[in-house]
Amino acid sequence: MRLLLLLFSISFTLAGQDIFTFEKSRRYGDYLLKSGQFELASKEYERLVYLSPNNDTLKTNLLKAYRLSNQTTLGIEKLIVLYADKTKVPFSPALEFSKLQMQNQSWQQAKDFWNKNESFSSDDKVLLNVTSDIFNNDFKSARTTFSQISNQENELGIGYRSILEKEVHKKSPGLAALMSAVVPGTGKAYSNNWKDGIVSLFFTAGMAFQSYRNFNKYGTNNHRGWIYGGIGLGFYLGNIYGSVKSTKDYNRKKINTLQHEASALFNTYY
Amino acid sequence: MKMKYIVIKFLFLGLLLLKNDALAQVSLYRNVLPNGNIKKEYVEAKNNKNEVQLVFSGLFLFYKTFFSSQDLTVCTFSPSCSEYGILAVKKYGMIKGGVMTMDRLTRCNGLSPHNYEFDKTTMLLKDDPRITPAVSVVSNIK
């Protein structure tokens, strides 16, 4: 019995381990971050950054954990604690902080941050500016910023150029309205809604025909023609409005697709 | 003559029986069929701010009570076309709201469901005049 107890205690003293060492905590933090437990990871990395205040990788991972767990404001406030001088933040934590700012949709602060930062190259700054402009649906500004890029062969730059070129081919709501005013329904067909266009054409043409028939049969002093004509005019005006709306919808969907494309490119590059 | 009275009496009794039978039928299907006597409340027609809104709300209620109530739910959208109409008139005024409603009536054909969001609670397509669509900001960063 004594021997058993002795063996028991010896095995514990030999195989026992301190799980709160720095190395173990770091591995646990990495595991939490990789397995998607971001909120717990942020707490673990807070401890690790406290233990080793000069490790940039840990600081980057802390910011990443804050961003992925959607605690963007906490992460943004954390940077001032981690680095005294915002302009001298090293590249990887600075990039992580930029992503945090973009996720928080504070575009102007994000631009101010990376434009003043010394770790980003001029092309990086241009690309980040273009990314935030595309995400913020400001393609005009994106185009002027993009012209400042020095390396024309940049992978992300090539992708962004094609996105900015695609953005030009939007459909004009004014043209759609004009088309619908001339032939009802064609404006909707122009914005790829040809089924709605055909229905509009039938509605308007049917009412116009009824109105014409009733004016012919009963004359202009009878109410019938006027009622049909009034409803037909309503459909006609409604169709012009609908064409403009459907073209705007088309453009909006197109911009949204381009933004998703830009997001995918950005995620693969950085 | 006497025979006639007896026949009429029996016919009346038969009527009573018929009524009882109908009641029995109703009680049999009470939990199956929806109760038609429930008065629906239309919030869209409430809180009118001016005379135009009041007139259009009146028209809307007239349509809902005497026409729509006799019909099935045939509109493809949620809110339905009449509700869209009153909501649009209330938000954008008589002219723009009217034009929007006319446009909506032509769109209510169920041919382009891919253009709209699907409302799972009503199993209809979403199209609300109160919501102005905006370009959603994408900041999907991995």
Side-chain angles (χ1 to χ4, degrees):
Chain A
M1 186 66 194
R2 275 179 198 166
L3 195 71
L4 259 176
L5 259 174
L6 195 71
L7 269 173
F8 193 69
S9 52
I10 285 172
S11 68
F12 261 95
T13 42
L14 288 179
Q17 49 181 327
D18 182 9
I19 55 166
F20 294 107
T21 57
F22 176 79
E23 190 48 36
K24 293 253 163 68
S25 280
R26 194 191 57 75
R27 275 167 64 191
Y28 183 51
D30 286 352
Y31 158 75
L32 286 173
L33 200 62
K34 272 179 193 160
S35 60
Q37 304 174 64
F38 304 122
E39 207 171 329
L40 287 173
S42 70
K43 280 168 189 162
E44 196 63 26
Y45 278 114
E46 280 283 4
R47 207 174 85 83
L48 285 162
V49 168
Y50 177 75
L51 289 173
S52 163
N54 295 321
N55 193 333
D56 285 332
T57 324
L58 290 178
K59 287 177 183 177
T60 315
N61 281 347
L62 174 63
L63 292 176
K64 194 175 183 179
Y66 273 132
R67 178 169 62 81
L68 293 171
S69 60
N70 261 333
Q71 308 178 72
T72 45
T73 39
L74 262 177
I76 288 166
E77 282 163 12
K78 195 72 203 170
L79 189 85
I80 311 154
V81 184
L82 297 177
Y83 296 97
D85 191 1
K86 265 190 176 184
T87 55
K88 289 193 172 62
V89 183
F91 183 80
S92 51
L95 185 68
E96 197 50 58
F97 184 70
S98 308
K99 287 179 180 178
L100 253 171
Q101 292 271 32
M102 282 203 272
Q103 184 154 319
N104 202 37
Q105 297 181 12
S106 31
W107 311 109
Q108 199 48 52
Q109 286 98 311
K111 280 185 179 179
D112 287 344
F113 170 74
W114 61 59
N115 285 334
K116 282 176 191 161
N117 193 284
E118 290 164 7
S119 315
F120 289 124
S121 70
S122 61
D123 272 4
D124 277 333
K125 284 176 187 172
V126 169
L127 288 170
L128 283 167
N129 276 324
V130 173
T131 313
S132 71
D133 282 339
I134 290 174
F135 285 171
N136 194 22
N137 188 26
D138 190 356
F139 281 84
K140 205 176 164 188
S141 163
R143 227 166 261 129
T144 47
T145 321
F146 188 71
S147 57
Q148 295 161 11
I149 196 164
S150 55
N151 179 14
Q152 297 295 326
E153 297 303 307
N154 186 297
E155 225 176 285
L156 186 61
I158 292 165
Y160 279 174
R161 189 175 301 125
S162 84
I163 284 174
L164 293 175
E165 275 164 15
K166 277 184 215 163
E167 202 268 336
V168 181
H169 305 294
K170 280 194 299 187
K171 300 209 170 181
S172 149
L175 181 63
L178 194 75
M179 282 171 83
S180 270
V182 177
V183 182
T186 44
K188 283 195 180 177
Y190 167 67
S191 60
N192 284 7
N193 269 334
W194 58 271
K195 287 175 193 165
D196 281 355
I198 289 171
V199 175
S200 298
L201 180 65
F202 272 117
F203 271 49
T204 321
M207 285 296 148
F209 174 71
Q210 280 291 341
S211 155
Y212 171 76
R213 205 172 68 107
N214 280 291
F215 276 135
N216 253 356
K217 204 171 177 183
Y218 302 103
T220 46
N221 289 330
N222 192 280
H223 61 275
R224 288 186 176 88
W226 291 108
I227 288 174
Y228 281 119
I231 298 171
L233 180 71
F235 280 131
Y236 175 76
L237 294 175
N239 174 50
I240 293 174
Y241 168 81
S243 305
V244 174
K245 197 180 154 199
S246 115
T247 318
K248 281 183 181 166
D249 275 349
Y250 175 89
N251 288 342
R252 201 170 47 245
K253 275 178 196 160
K254 181 155 190 171
I255 285 175
N256 205 254
T257 321
L258 292 179
Q259 285 177 335
H260 278 287
E261 254 177 58
S263 168
L265 283 171
F266 180 81
N267 287 332
T268 43
Y269 185 78
Y270 284 117
Chain B
M1 196 64 190
K2 211 177 180 182
M3 194 62 195
K4 211 185 233 173
Y5 280 119
I6 289 167
V7 167
I8 288 168
K9 220 183 260 176
F10 269 97
L11 273 176
F12 268 112
L13 276 173
L15 260 179
L16 269 175
L17 272 176
L18 197 73
K19 203 194 162 199
N20 278 345
D21 199 36
L23 272 177
Q25 288 278 326
V26 166
S27 62
L28 188 64
Y29 292 111
R30 181 152 281 164
N31 297 323
V32 181
L33 291 170
N35 189 353
N37 292 325
I38 295 169
K39 208 175 175 189
K40 218 181 153 188
E41 254 188 77
Y42 297 105
V43 272
E44 294 86 358
K46 283 180 179 170
N47 300 324
N48 300 305
K49 291 201 178 85
N50 52 44
E51 288 76 13
V52 176
Q53 289 188 7
L54 193 76
V55 168
F56 274 90
S57 292
L59 283 171
F60 167 78
L61 284 178
F62 180 80
Y63 166 76
K64 277 286 189 192
T65 320
F66 294 104
F67 291 88
S68 184
S69 59
Q70 306 303 309
D71 206 350
L72 290 169
T73 320
V74 282
C75 187
T76 352
F77 292 109
S78 157
S80 72
C81 288
S82 52
E83 286 160 9
Y84 182 97
I86 186 69
L87 290 171
V89 167
K90 276 191 173 180
K91 189 170 180 193
Y92 296 101
M94 191 171 64
I95 295 166
K96 197 185 172 190
V99 166
M100 282 171 79
T101 312
M102 286 317 238
D103 170 51
R104 164 68 177 264
L105 288 174
T106 58
R107 282 187 290 120
C108 188
N109 48 44
L111 295 172
S112 333
H114 52 270
N115 286 344
Y116 307 94
E117 240 182 278
F118 189 69
D119 189 355
K120 276 184 184 170
T121 48
T122 51
M123 300 298 276
L124 294 166
L125 301 171
K126 272 188 204 169
D127 184 34
D128 200 315
R130 290 167 293 187
I131 298 162
T132 37
V135 177
S136 55
V137 174
V138 179
S139 51
N140 242 349
I141 304 150
K142 274 174 200 156

